[in-house]
Amino acid sequence: MGAYYGERLSQNEKAQKEKDRRRGKEFTGVSSLRSPASCFKDENLHMKYFWIPIALIFAAVHFYYLDKYPLIWVDDIGYSEPAWTFNQSGNFGNKFLFESFKGSGYEKSNVFMGRIFLFSQAMMYRIFGFGAYQSRILQMVCGLLSIWLVWLIAFKLFYEQASWIASGLWAFSHTFWVTAHQSRPDMMVIVFILLALWLFLDERYFL
């Protein structure tokens, strides 16, 4: 009797493995998560080559419209000036935007803007120079990285098809287009949040 039920249990496990494999996952007992690299093995190279030109066109369109949409507005100036000032005088002051607040300390250091963003933005100015386009490059790069992280997270939580749907919805959303095209730290914050979530799901608590 015990051997019979053991055989039936083994058959059920095999059936479950086959079911999970068809859904794009591998059954591992504790976790049904597989490596994203398995999507780009030899048998899936046709999908890899299919998405490469689409990704390149997508990135090219975004970089073309980077300084055109949305139009430059006050937040672009407010978040870009401290980084530019750092390269000029070594502090994160808003000397021009907060002219009416002269004497308040903003002309020496803008205390409410994150230093990780401002240091990164200052580095971009040092490499590419200062301008509207250069002010938005960092956020566009973070935006492209966020698409990849959304794909990884959806792959971990669901299956391969869901990862393409989730990353596609995010990539072509109006929120993405606006957030990735502004000189604000929003997209960088999104990347850090997504990265933390993916590291947790992948059980990489110490990298």
Side-chain angles (χ1 to χ4, degrees), residues 153-171:
I153 292 171
F155 189 92
K156 288 287 186 184
L157 292 175
F158 304 103
Y159 46 92
E160 185 178 341
Q161 292 84 347
S163 65
W164 293 113
I165 294 172
S167 57
L169 289 174
W170 170 237

Side-chain angles (χ1 to χ4, degrees), residues 54-67:
I54 294 180
L56 292 176
I57 293 172
F58 177 84
V61 169
H62 271 283
F63 279 108
Y64 176 77
Y65 283 101
L66 193 56
D67 61 342

Side-chain angles (χ1 to χ4, degrees), residues 27-42:
F27 183 75
T28 59
V30 177
S31 173
S32 58
L33 309 179
R34 66 182 179 128
S35 170
S38 61
C39 293
F40 301 102
K41 289 182 178 180
D42 292 341

Side-chain angles (χ1 to χ4, degrees), residues 66-109:
L66 193 56
D67 61 342
K68 301 175 178 61
Y69 179 83
L71 296 176
I72 304 296
W73 69 305
V74 65
D75 274 18
D76 284 296
I77 302 171
Y79 281 93
S80 298
E81 187 187 353
W84 176 79
T85 304
F86 179 79
N87 286 334
Q88 301 298 314
S89 56
N91 62 68
F92 292 107
N94 278 106
K95 293 181 172 60
F96 303 107
L97 185 62
F98 293 102
E99 183 70 22
S100 59
F101 294 98
K102 184 173 293 186
S104 64
Y106 279 114
E107 70 277 4
K108 296 181 180 179
S109 181

Side-chain angles (χ1 to χ4, degrees), residues 116-131:
I116 295 177
F117 170 76
L118 293 180
F119 273 121
S120 303
Q121 195 79 316
M123 182 177 64
M124 300 299 290
Y125 292 150
R126 192 175 293 274
I127 296 173
F128 299 107
F130 183 75

Side-chain angles (χ1 to χ4, degrees), residues 5-22:
Y5 283 110
E7 183 179 351
R8 289 295 302 272
L9 181 61
S10 178
Q11 291 176 352
N12 291 338
E13 287 179 349
K14 290 180 180 179
Q16 182 64 45
K17 288 181 180 179
E18 179 63 21
K19 181 180 178 180
D20 286 334
R21 186 189 66 80
R22 290 179 179 178

Side-chain angles (χ1 to χ4, degrees), residues 115-158:
R115 293 303 186 249
I116 295 177
F117 170 76
L118 293 180
F119 273 121
S120 303
Q121 195 79 316
M123 182 177 64
M124 300 299 290
Y125 292 150
R126 192 175 293 274
I127 296 173
F128 299 107
F130 183 75
Y133 193 92
Q134 296 90 325
S135 297
R136 295 178 170 184
I137 291 177
L138 177 63
Q139 300 314 299
M140 188 64 249
V141 173
C142 288
L144 296 176
L145 182 58
S146 73
I147 298 174
W148 175 239
L149 288 170
V150 168
W151 191 95
L152 288 174
I153 292 171
F155 189 92
K156 288 287 186 184
L157 292 175
F158 304 103

